[in-house]
Structures are given as C-alpha cells and as structure tokens.
Amino acid sequence: MLVAFSVTPLGAGDAVGDLVAEAVRVVRASGLPNRTDAMFTTIEGEWDEVMAVVKQAVDAVAAHAPRVSVTLKADVRPGVTGALEAKVEHIERRLAQP
C-alpha cells in the first residue's frame, strides 16, 4: 500500500519546519520506501508497518506540540510492490512521448 500523509503541529508557534523534520526523520529511519515533497510524505509497505510509522511520526511531533493535525490518503493494493517509483515512472514515460 501507499500512504501519503502530512502532520501539522498546532499550538507550537508559526515555524513548524523543525517539528515536521522530526516526523520525516522517523519515516526515513523506518527503512520503508518513502518520498517527501512540499506537501506530503509517502510511504510504501504493508498496512500494519506503514500505519505504525505514521503513528511514530505523529508521536514524534506530539512530543513537542500540544496538538497535531494529520492528513492521510491511502492506496490499498494487496500484492503490489514498487508502486512508489512505478507510478511516477509511468507518468514520466508518458510525458516523454510526443
């Protein structure tokens, strides 16, 4: 499955980048395939392992903020692996065609 999520610390001031970086640090330490962009971090893996990483990322932010907002979108496709790269590669191949 793919899970795209974002965590937003609330009540921790205007500059939240350092706290968001802590969430991303948790994701990268998980060893699961992942990608971070300006809006979301996407993780690929099995349901239980991906959700455990999301929880750990939220907990890392919650340790420094009184409230955390989480936005999550999931693509559940049992048996499919490599989708994190394959989906983007497909679009890039299509764009390269005249």
Side-chain angles (χ1 to χ4, degrees):
M1 79 182 297
L2 292 175
V3 169
F5 78 103
S6 67
V7 294
T8 305
L10 301 174
D14 291 336
V16 297
D18 290 345
L19 293 179
V20 171
E22 292 306 311
V24 174
R25 185 183 316 277
V26 167
V27 172
R28 292 185 179 173
S30 74
L32 295 176
N34 66 84
R35 176 176 300 157
T36 299
D37 61 36
M39 297 288 293
F40 289 93
T41 293
T42 304
I43 311 170
E44 182 172 17
E46 296 299 320
W47 182 278
D48 290 340
E49 62 187 356
V50 168
M51 291 304 176
V53 172
V54 171
K55 182 181 183 324
Q56 291 167 8
V58 171
D59 289 347
V61 174
H64 304 284
R67 186 174 178 188
V68 180
S69 174
V70 180
T71 301
L72 185 141
K73 180 177 180 178
D75 181 2
V76 181
R77 293 181 69 193
V80 174
T81 60
L84 184 65
E85 299 297 329
K87 285 186 168 194
V88 175
E89 289 169 0
H90 175 81
I91 298 299
E92 292 298 334
R93 281 193 308 273
R94 192 72 171 148
L95 290 171
Q97 296 174 353

Coordinates of all heavy atoms in Angstrom, one line a residue:
M1 N 0.8 -1.2 0.0 CA 0.0 0.0 0.0 C 0.9 1.2 0.0 O 2.0 1.2 0.5 CB -1.0 0.0 1.2 CG -0.4 0.4 2.5 SD -1.5 0.4 3.9 CE -2.7 1.5 3.5
L2 N 0.3 2.3 -0.5 CA 1.0 3.6 -0.4 C 0.1 4.5 0.5 O -1.1 4.4 0.5 CB 1.0 4.3 -1.8 CG 1.9 3.7 -2.9 CD1 1.7 4.5 -4.2 CD2 3.3 3.7 -2.5
V3 N 0.8 5.2 1.4 CA 0.2 6.1 2.3 C 0.9 7.5 2.1 O 2.1 7.6 2.4 CB 0.2 5.7 3.8 CG1 -0.3 6.8 4.7 CG2 -0.7 4.5 3.9
A4 N 0.1 8.5 1.7 CA 0.6 9.9 1.7 C 0.0 10.6 2.9 O -1.2 10.5 3.1 CB 0.2 10.6 0.4
F5 N 0.9 11.2 3.7 CA 0.4 11.8 4.9 C 1.2 13.1 5.2 O 2.3 13.3 4.7 CB 0.4 10.9 6.1 CG 1.7 10.6 6.7 CD1 2.0 11.3 7.9 CD2 2.7 9.8 6.1 CE1 3.3 11.1 8.5 CE2 3.9 9.6 6.7 CZ 4.2 10.2 7.9
S6 N 0.5 14.0 6.0 CA 1.2 15.1 6.5 C 0.8 15.3 7.9 O -0.3 15.0 8.3 CB 0.9 16.4 5.6 OG -0.5 16.7 5.8
V7 N 1.8 15.8 8.7 CA 1.5 16.1 10.1 C 1.7 17.6 10.2 O 2.7 18.2 9.7 CB 2.3 15.3 11.1 CG1 2.0 13.9 11.0 CG2 3.8 15.5 10.8
T8 N 0.8 18.3 10.9 CA 0.9 19.7 11.2 C 0.8 20.0 12.7 O -0.2 19.7 13.3 CB -0.2 20.5 10.5 OG1 -0.2 20.2 9.1 CG2 -0.1 22.0 10.7
P9 N 1.9 20.4 13.3 CA 1.9 20.8 14.7 C 1.0 22.0 14.9 O 1.1 23.0 14.2 CB 3.3 21.1 15.0 CG 4.2 20.7 13.9 CD 3.2 20.6 12.7
L10 N 0.1 21.9 15.9 CA -0.7 23.1 16.2 C -0.3 23.6 17.6 O -0.1 22.8 18.5 CB -2.2 22.7 16.2 CG -2.7 22.2 14.8 CD1 -4.1 21.7 14.9 CD2 -2.5 23.2 13.7
G11 N -0.3 24.9 17.8 CA 0.0 25.4 19.1 C 1.4 25.4 19.5 O 1.8 25.6 20.6
A12 N 2.3 25.2 18.4 CA 3.7 25.2 18.7 C 4.5 26.4 18.0 O 5.7 26.3 17.8 CB 4.3 23.9 18.2
G13 N 3.7 27.4 17.7 CA 4.3 28.6 17.0 C 4.1 28.5 15.5 O 3.6 27.6 15.0
D14 N 4.6 29.6 14.9 CA 4.4 29.7 13.4 C 5.4 28.9 12.6 O 5.1 28.4 11.5 CB 4.5 31.2 13.0 CG 3.4 32.0 13.5 OD1 2.3 31.4 13.8 OD2 3.6 33.2 13.7
A15 N 6.6 28.7 13.1 CA 7.6 27.9 12.4 C 7.5 26.5 12.8 O 7.9 26.1 13.9 CB 9.0 28.5 12.7
V16 N 7.0 25.7 11.9 CA 6.8 24.2 12.2 C 7.7 23.3 11.5 O 7.7 22.1 11.7 CB 5.3 23.8 12.0 CG1 4.4 24.6 12.9 CG2 5.0 24.0 10.5
G17 N 8.6 23.8 10.7 CA 9.5 23.0 9.9 C 10.4 22.1 10.7 O 10.6 20.9 10.3
D18 N 10.9 22.5 11.8 CA 11.8 21.7 12.6 C 11.0 20.5 13.1 O 11.5 19.3 13.2 CB 12.4 22.4 13.8 CG 13.4 23.4 13.3 OD1 13.9 23.3 12.1 OD2 13.8 24.3 14.1
L19 N 9.7 20.7 13.5 CA 8.9 19.6 14.0 C 8.5 18.6 12.9 O 8.5 17.4 13.1 CB 7.7 20.1 14.8 CG 8.0 20.8 16.1 CD1 6.7 21.3 16.7 CD2 8.7 19.9 17.0
V20 N 8.2 19.2 11.8 CA 7.9 18.3 10.6 C 9.1 17.5 10.2 O 9.0 16.3 9.9 CB 7.4 19.2 9.4 CG1 7.2 18.3 8.2 CG2 6.0 19.8 9.8
A21 N 10.3 18.1 10.3 CA 11.5 17.3 10.0 C 11.7 16.1 11.0 O 12.2 15.1 10.5 CB 12.7 18.3 10.1
E22 N 11.2 16.2 12.2 CA 11.3 15.1 13.1 C 10.4 14.0 12.6 O 10.7 12.8 12.8 CB 10.9 15.5 14.5 CG 12.0 16.4 15.2 CD 13.4 15.8 15.1 OE1 13.5 14.6 15.5 OE2 14.3 16.5 14.7
A23 N 9.2 14.3 12.1 CA 8.3 13.3 11.6 C 9.0 12.6 10.4 O 8.9 11.4 10.2 CB 7.0 13.9 11.2
V24 N 9.6 13.4 9.5 CA 10.3 12.8 8.3 C 11.4 12.0 8.7 O 11.7 10.9 8.2 CB 10.7 13.9 7.3 CG1 11.5 13.4 6.2 CG2 9.5 14.7 6.8
R25 N 12.1 12.4 9.8 CA 13.3 11.6 10.3 C 12.8 10.2 10.7 O 13.4 9.2 10.4 CB 13.9 12.3 11.5 CG 15.2 11.6 12.0 CD 15.7 12.3 13.2 NE 15.8 13.8 13.2 CZ 16.8 14.5 12.6 NH1 17.8 13.8 12.0 NH2 16.7 15.8 12.6
V26 N 11.6 10.1 11.3 CA 11.1 8.8 11.7 C 10.8 8.0 10.5 O 11.1 6.8 10.5 CB 9.8 9.0 12.6 CG1 9.0 7.7 12.7 CG2 10.1 9.6 13.9
V27 N 10.2 8.6 9.5 CA 9.9 7.8 8.3 C 11.1 7.3 7.6 O 11.2 6.1 7.3 CB 9.1 8.7 7.3 CG1 8.9 8.0 5.9 CG2 7.7 9.1 7.9
R28 N 12.1 8.1 7.5 CA 13.4 7.7 6.9 C 14.1 6.6 7.6 O 14.7 5.7 7.1 CB 14.3 8.9 6.6 CG 13.7 9.8 5.5 CD 14.5 10.9 5.2 NE 13.9 11.7 4.1 CZ 14.3 12.8 3.7 NH1 15.5 13.3 4.1 NH2 13.7 13.5 2.7
A29 N 14.0 6.6 9.0 CA 14.6 5.6 9.8 C 13.9 4.3 9.7 O 14.4 3.3 10.1 CB 14.7 6.1 11.2
S30 N 12.6 4.3 9.2 CA 11.8 3.1 9.2 C 12.4 2.1 8.2 O 12.1 0.9 8.3 CB 10.4 3.4 8.8 OG 10.3 3.7 7.4
G31 N 13.1 2.5 7.2 CA 13.6 1.6 6.2 C 12.6 1.3 5.1 O 12.9 0.7 4.1
L32 N 11.4 1.8 5.2 CA 10.4 1.6 4.2 C 10.7 2.6 3.0 O 11.1 3.7 3.2 CB 9.0 1.9 4.7 CG 8.5 0.9 5.8 CD1 7.1 1.3 6.3 CD2 8.5 -0.5 5.2
P33 N 10.3 2.2 1.8 CA 10.4 3.1 0.7 C 9.6 4.4 1.0 O 8.4 4.3 1.4 CB 9.9 2.4 -0.5 CG 10.0 0.9 -0.2 CD 9.8 0.9 1.3
N34 N 10.2 5.6 0.7 CA 9.4 6.8 1.0 C 9.9 7.9 0.2 O 11.0 7.9 -0.4 CB 9.5 7.1 2.5 CG 11.0 7.5 2.9 OD1 11.4 8.6 2.7 ND2 11.7 6.5 3.4
R35 N 9.1 8.9 0.1 CA 9.4 10.2 -0.7 C 8.7 11.3 0.0 O 7.5 11.2 0.4 CB 8.9 10.0 -2.1 CG 9.1 11.3 -2.9 CD 8.7 11.1 -4.3 NE 9.5 10.1 -4.9 CZ 9.2 9.4 -6.0 NH1 8.1 9.6 -6.6 NH2 10.0 8.4 -6.4
T36 N 9.4 12.4 0.2 CA 8.9 13.6 0.8 C 8.9 14.7 -0.2 O 9.9 15.0 -0.9 CB 9.7 14.0 2.1 OG1 9.6 13.0 3.0 CG2 9.1 15.3 2.7
D37 N 7.7 15.5 -0.3 CA 7.7 16.6 -1.2 C 7.2 17.8 -0.3 O 7.1 17.7 0.9 CB 6.9 16.4 -2.4 CG 5.4 16.1 -2.1 OD1 4.8 16.6 -1.2 OD2 4.8 15.3 -2.9
A38 N 6.8 18.9 -0.9 CA 6.5 20.1 -0.2 C 5.2 19.9 0.6 O 5.0 20.7 1.6 CB 6.3 21.3 -1.1
M39 N 4.3 19.0 0.3 CA 3.0 18.8 0.9 C 2.9 17.5 1.7 O 2.2 17.5 2.7 CB 1.9 18.9 -0.2 CG 1.9 20.2 -0.9 SD 1.2 21.5 0.1 CE -0.5 21.0 0.3
F40 N 3.4 16.4 1.3 CA 3.2 15.1 1.9 C 4.5 14.3 1.9 O 5.4 14.5 1.2 CB 2.2 14.3 1.1 CG 0.8 14.9 1.2 CD1 0.3 15.7 0.2 CD2 0.0 14.5 2.2 CE1 -1.0 16.2 0.3 CE2 -1.3 14.9 2.3 CZ -1.8 15.8 1.4
T41 N 4.5 13.3 2.8 CA 5.4 12.2 2.8 C 4.7 11.0 2.4 O 3.6 10.7 3.0 CB 6.1 12.1 4.1 OG1 6.9 13.2 4.4 CG2 7.0 10.8 4.1
T42 N 5.2 10.2 1.4 CA 4.5 9.0 1.0 C 5.4 7.8 1.4 O 6.6 7.9 1.2 CB 4.3 9.0 -0.5 OG1 3.6 10.1 -0.9 CG2 3.6 7.7 -1.0
I43 N 4.8 6.8 2.0 CA 5.5 5.6 2.4 C 4.8 4.4 1.7 O 3.6 4.3 1.5 CB 5.3 5.4 3.9 CG1 5.6 6.6 4.7 CG2 6.2 4.2 4.4 CD1 5.2 6.5 6.2
E44 N 5.6 3.4 1.4 CA 5.1 2.2 0.8 C 5.4 1.0 1.7 O 6.6 0.9 2.3 CB 5.7 1.9 -0.5 CG 5.2 0.7 -1.2 CD 5.6 0.6 -2.7 OE1 6.6 1.2 -3.1 OE2 5.0 -0.2 -3.4
G45 N 4.5 0.1 1.9 CA 4.7 -1.1 2.7 C 3.3 -1.8 3.0 O 2.3 -1.4 2.4
E46 N 3.4 -2.7 3.9 CA 2.2 -3.4 4.3 C 1.4 -2.5 5.3 O 2.0 -1.7 6.0 CB 2.5 -4.7 5.0 CG 3.2 -5.7 4.0 CD 2.3 -6.1 2.9 OE1 1.1 -6.3 3.1 OE2 2.8 -6.2 1.7
W47 N 0.1 -2.7 5.4 CA -0.8 -1.9 6.3 C -0.2 -1.7 7.7 O -0.1 -0.5 8.1 CB -2.1 -2.6 6.3 CG -3.2 -1.8 7.1 CD1 -3.3 -1.8 8.5 CD2 -4.1 -0.9 6.6 NE1 -4.3 -0.9 8.9 CE2 -4.8 -0.4 7.7 CE3 -4.5 -0.5 5.3 CZ2 -5.9 0.5 7.6 CZ3 -5.5 0.4 5.2 CH2 -6.2 0.9 6.3
D48 N 0.1 -2.7 8.4 CA 0.5 -2.6 9.8 C 1.8 -1.8 9.9 O 2.0 -1.0 10.8 CB 0.6 -3.9 10.5 CG -0.8 -4.6 10.7 OD1 -1.8 -3.8 10.7 OD2 -0.8 -5.8 10.9
E49 N 2.8 -2.1 9.0 CA 4.0 -1.4 9.2 C 4.0 0.0 8.8 O 4.6 0.9 9.4 CB 5.1 -2.2 8.4 CG 4.9 -2.2 6.9 CD 5.9 -3.1 6.2 OE1 6.9 -3.7 6.8 OE2 5.8 -3.3 5.0
V50 N 3.2 0.4 7.8 CA 3.0 1.7 7.3 C 2.3 2.6 8.4 O 2.7 3.7 8.8 CB 2.3 1.8 6.0 CG1 1.9 3.3 5.7 CG2 3.2 1.3 4.9
M51 N 1.2 2.0 8.9 CA 0.5 2.7 9.9 C 1.3 2.9 11.2 O 1.1 3.9 11.9 CB -0.9 2.0 10.2 CG -1.8 2.1 9.1 SD -2.2 3.8 8.6 CE -3.2 3.6 7.2
A52 N 2.1 1.9 11.5 CA 3.0 2.1 12.7 C 3.9 3.2 12.5 O 4.2 4.0 13.5 CB 3.7 0.8 13.0
V53 N 4.5 3.4 11.3 CA 5.4 4.5 11.1 C 4.6 5.8 11.1 O 5.2 6.8 11.7 CB 6.1 4.3 9.7 CG1 6.9 5.6 9.4 CG2 7.0 3.1 9.7
V54 N 3.4 5.9 10.6 CA 2.6 7.1 10.7 C 2.4 7.5 12.2 O 2.6 8.6 12.6 CB 1.3 7.0 9.9 CG1 0.4 8.2 10.2 CG2 1.5 6.9 8.4
K55 N 2.1 6.5 13.0 CA 1.8 6.8 14.4 C 3.1 7.3 15.1 O 3.1 8.2 15.8 CB 1.3 5.5 15.1 CG 1.1 5.8 16.6 CD 0.6 4.5 17.3 CE 0.3 4.8 18.8 NZ 1.1 5.7 19.5
Q56 N 4.2 6.6 14.8 CA 5.5 7.1 15.4 C 5.9 8.5 14.9 O 6.4 9.3 15.7 CB 6.6 6.1 14.9 CG 6.5 4.7 15.6 CD 7.5 3.8 14.9 OE1 8.3 4.1 14.1 NE2 7.3 2.5 15.2
A57 N 5.6 8.8 13.7 CA 5.8 10.2 13.2 C 5.0 11.2 13.9 O 5.4 12.3 14.3 CB 5.6 10.3 11.7
V58 N 3.7 10.9 14.1 CA 2.8 11.8 14.8 C 3.2 11.9 16.3 O 3.3 13.0 16.8 CB 1.3 11.2 14.7 CG1 0.4 12.0 15.7 CG2 0.8 11.3 13.3
D59 N 3.6 10.8 16.9 CA 4.1 10.8 18.3 C 5.3 11.7 18.4 O 5.5 12.4 19.4 CB 4.4 9.4 18.8 CG 3.2 8.6 19.0 OD1 2.0 9.1 19.0 OD2 3.3 7.4 19.2
A60 N 6.2 11.7 17.4 CA 7.4 12.5 17.5 C 7.1 14.0 17.5 O 7.7 14.8 18.2 CB 8.4 12.2 16.3
V61 N 6.1 14.4 16.7 CA 5.6 15.7 16.7 C 4.9 16.1 17.9 O 5.1 17.2 18.5 CB 4.8 16.0 15.4 CG1 4.2 17.4 15.4 CG2 5.7 15.8 14.1
A62 N 4.0 15.2 18.4 CA 3.2 15.4 19.5 C 4.0 15.6 20.8 O 3.6 16.2 21.8 CB 2.2 14.3 19.7
A63 N 5.2 15.1 20.8 CA 6.1 15.3 22.0 C 6.5 16.7 22.2 O 6.9 17.1 23.3 CB 7.4 14.4 21.8
H64 N 6.3 17.6 21.1 CA 6.7 19.0 21.2 C 5.6 19.9 20.8 O 5.8 21.2 20.8 CB 7.9 19.2 20.2 CG 9.0 18.3 20.5 ND1 9.9 18.5 21.5 CD2 9.4 17.2 19.8 CE1 10.8 17.6 21.5 NE2 10.6 16.7 20.5
A65 N 4.4 19.4 20.6 CA 3.3 20.3 20.2 C 2.0 19.8 21.0 O 1.8 18.6 21.1 CB 3.0 20.2 18.7
P66 N 1.2 20.7 21.5 CA 0.0 20.3 22.3 C -1.1 19.6 21.4 O -1.9 19.0 21.9 CB -0.5 21.6 22.9 CG 0.1 22.7 22.0 CD 1.3 22.2 21.4
R67 N -1.0 19.8 20.1 CA -2.0 19.3 19.2 C -1.3 19.0 17.8 O -0.5 19.7 17.4 CB -3.1 20.3 19.1 CG -4.3 19.8 18.3 CD -5.4 20.9 18.4 NE -6.6 20.5 17.7 CZ -7.6 21.3 17.4 NH1 -7.6 22.5 17.9 NH2 -8.6 20.9 16.8
V68 N -1.8 17.9 17.2 CA -1.2 17.6 15.9 C -2.4 17.2 14.9 O -3.3 16.4 15.3 CB -0.3 16.3 16.0 CG1 0.3 16.0 14.6 CG2 0.8 16.6 16.9
S69 N -2.4 17.9 13.8 CA -3.4 17.5 12.7 C -2.7 16.6 11.7 O -1.5 16.8 11.3 CB -3.8 18.8 12.0 OG -4.6 18.5 10.9
V70 N -3.4 15.5 11.3 CA -2.9 14.6 10.4 C -3.8 14.5 9.2 O -5.0 14.3 9.4 CB -2.8 13.2 11.0 CG1 -2.2 12.1 10.0 CG2 -1.9 13.2 12.3
T71 N -3.3 14.6 8.0 CA -4.0 14.3 6.8 C -3.4 13.1 6.1 O -2.2 13.0 6.0 CB -3.8 15.5 5.8 OG1 -4.3 16.7 6.5 CG2 -4.6 15.3 4.5
L72 N -4.2 12.1 5.7 CA -3.7 10.9 5.2 C -4.6 10.4 4.0 O -5.8 10.5 4.1 CB -3.8 9.8 6.4 CG -3.2 8.5 6.1 CD1 -2.5 8.0 7.3 CD2 -4.3 7.5 5.7
K73 N -3.9 9.9 3.0 CA -4.5 9.3 1.9 C -3.8 8.0 1.6 O -2.6 7.9 1.6 CB -4.4 10.2 0.6 CG -5.1 9.6 -0.6 CD -5.0 10.6 -1.8 CE -5.7 10.0 -3.0 NZ -5.7 10.9 -4.1
A74 N -4.6 6.9 1.4 CA -4.1 5.6 1.2 C -4.5 4.9 -0.1 O -5.7 5.1 -0.5 CB -4.4 4.7 2.3
D75 N -3.6 4.2 -0.8 CA -3.9 3.4 -1.9 C -3.6 2.0 -1.5 O -2.4 1.6 -1.4 CB -3.0 3.9 -3.1 CG -3.2 3.1 -4.4 OD1 -4.1 2.2 -4.4 OD2 -2.5 3.3 -5.4
V76 N -4.6 1.2 -1.3 CA -4.5 -0.2 -0.8 C -4.6 -1.1 -2.0 O -5.7 -1.2 -2.6 CB -5.6 -0.5 0.3 CG1 -5.4 -1.9 0.8 CG2 -5.5 0.6 1.4
R77 N -3.5 -1.7 -2.3 CA -3.5 -2.7 -3.5 C -2.7 -3.9 -3.0 O -1.5 -3.9 -3.2 CB -2.9 -2.1 -4.7 CG -3.7 -0.9 -5.3 CD -3.2 -0.3 -6.5 NE -3.2 -1.3 -7.6 CZ -2.5 -1.1 -8.7 NH1 -1.8 -0.1 -8.9 NH2 -2.6 -2.0 -9.7
P78 N -3.3 -4.9 -2.4 CA -2.6 -6.1 -1.9 C -1.8 -6.7 -3.0 O -2.2 -6.8 -4.2 CB -3.7 -7.0 -1.5 CG -4.8 -6.1 -1.1 CD -4.7 -5.0 -2.1
G79 N -0.6 -7.1 -2.7 CA 0.3 -7.8 -3.6 C 1.1 -6.9 -4.5 O 2.0 -7.4 -5.3
V80 N 0.9 -5.6 -4.5 CA 1.6 -4.7 -5.4 C 2.7 -4.1 -4.6 O 2.6 -3.6 -3.5 CB 0.7 -3.6 -5.9 CG1 1.5 -2.5 -6.7 CG2 -0.4 -4.2 -6.8
T81 N 3.9 -4.2 -5.2 CA 5.1 -3.5 -4.6 C 5.8 -2.7 -5.7 O 5.5 -2.8 -6.8 CB 6.1 -4.6 -4.1 OG1 6.5 -5.4 -5.2 CG2 5.5 -5.4 -3.0
G82 N 6.6 -1.7 -5.2 CA 7.3 -0.8 -6.1 C 6.4 0.3 -6.7 O 6.8 1.0 -7.6
A83 N 5.2 0.4 -6.2 CA 4.3 1.4 -6.8 C 4.8 2.9 -6.5 O 4.5 3.8 -7.3 CB 2.9 1.3 -6.2
L84 N 5.6 3.1 -5.5 CA 6.1 4.5 -5.2 C 6.9 5.0 -6.4 O 6.7 6.1 -6.8 CB 6.9 4.4 -3.9 CG 7.4 5.8 -3.4 CD1 6.3 6.7 -3.0 CD2 8.4 5.6 -2.3
E85 N 7.7 4.1 -7.0 CA 8.5 4.5 -8.1 C 7.8 4.3 -9.4 O 7.8 5.1 -10.3 CB 9.8 3.7 -8.1 CG 10.7 4.0 -6.9 CD 11.2 5.4 -6.8 OE1 11.4 6.1 -7.8 OE2 11.3 5.8 -5.6
A86 N 7.0 3.2 -9.5 CA 6.4 2.8 -10.8 C 5.4 3.8 -11.3 O 5.3 4.1 -12.5 CB 5.8 1.4 -10.7
K87 N 4.6 4.4 -10.4 CA 3.6 5.4 -10.8 C 4.2 6.6 -11.4 O 3.8 7.1 -12.4 CB 2.7 5.7 -9.6 CG 1.7 4.7 -9.1 CD 0.8 5.2 -8.0 CE -0.3 4.3 -7.8 NZ -1.4 4.9 -7.0
V88 N 5.3 7.1 -10.8 CA 6.0 8.3 -11.3 C 6.7 8.0 -12.6 O 6.6 8.7 -13.6 CB 6.9 8.8 -10.2 CG1 7.7 10.0 -10.8 CG2 6.2 9.2 -9.0
E89 N 7.3 6.8 -12.7 CA 8.0 6.4 -13.9 C 7.0 6.3 -15.1 O 7.3 6.7 -16.2 CB 8.7 5.1 -13.7 CG 9.9 5.2 -12.8 CD 10.5 3.9 -12.4 OE1 10.0 2.8 -12.8 OE2 11.5 3.9 -11.7
H90 N 5.8 5.8 -14.8 CA 4.8 5.7 -15.9 C 4.5 7.1 -16.4 O 4.4 7.3 -17.6 CB 3.6 5.0 -15.4 CG 2.4 5.0 -16.4 ND1 2.4 4.1 -17.4 CD2 1.4 5.8 -16.5 CE1 1.3 4.3 -18.1 NE2 0.7 5.4 -17.6
I91 N 4.2 8.0 -15.5 CA 3.9 9.4 -16.0 C 5.0 10.0 -16.7 O 4.8 10.7 -17.8 CB 3.5 10.3 -14.7 CG1 2.3 9.7 -14.0 CG2 3.3 11.7 -15.1 CD1 1.0 9.7 -14.9
E92 N 6.3 9.8 -16.3 CA 7.4 10.4 -16.9 C 7.6 9.8 -18.3 O 7.9 10.6 -19.3 CB 8.7 10.2 -16.1 CG 8.7 11.0 -14.8 CD 8.7 12.5 -15.0 OE1 9.1 13.0 -16.1 OE2 8.2 13.2 -14.1
R93 N 7.4 8.5 -18.5 CA 7.5 7.9 -19.8 C 6.4 8.5 -20.7 O 6.7 8.8 -21.9 CB 7.3 6.4 -19.7 CG 8.5 5.6 -19.3 CD 8.3 4.1 -19.6 NE 7.1 3.5 -19.0 CZ 7.0 3.1 -17.8 NH1 8.0 3.2 -16.9 NH2 5.9 2.6 -17.3
R94 N 5.2 8.7 -20.2 CA 4.1 9.2 -21.0 C 4.4 10.7 -21.4 O 4.1 11.1 -22.6 CB 2.8 9.2 -20.2 CG 1.6 9.5 -20.9 CD 1.3 8.3 -21.8 NE 0.0 8.5 -22.4 CZ -0.3 8.1 -23.6 NH1 0.5 7.4 -24.3 NH2 -1.5 8.3 -24.1
L95 N 5.0 11.4 -20.5 CA 5.3 12.8 -20.8 C 6.4 12.9 -21.9 O 6.5 13.9 -22.6 CB 5.7 13.6 -19.6 CG 4.6 13.9 -18.6 CD1 5.1 14.4 -17.3 CD2 3.6 14.8 -19.2
A96 N 7.3 11.9 -21.9 CA 8.4 11.9 -22.9 C 7.9 11.7 -24.3 O 8.7 11.9 -25.3 CB 9.5 10.9 -22.4
Q97 N 6.7 11.1 -24.4 CA 6.2 10.9 -25.8 C 5.6 12.1 -26.4 O 5.0 13.0 -25.7 CB 5.1 9.8 -25.7 CG 5.6 8.5 -25.2 CD 4.4 7.5 -24.9 OE1 3.2 7.9 -25.0 NE2 4.7 6.3 -24.6
P98 N 5.9 12.3 -27.7 CA 5.3 13.5 -28.4 C 3.8 13.5 -28.5 O 3.1 12.6 -28.4 CB 6.0 13.4 -29.8 CG 6.6 12.1 -29.9 CD 6.6 11.4 -28.6

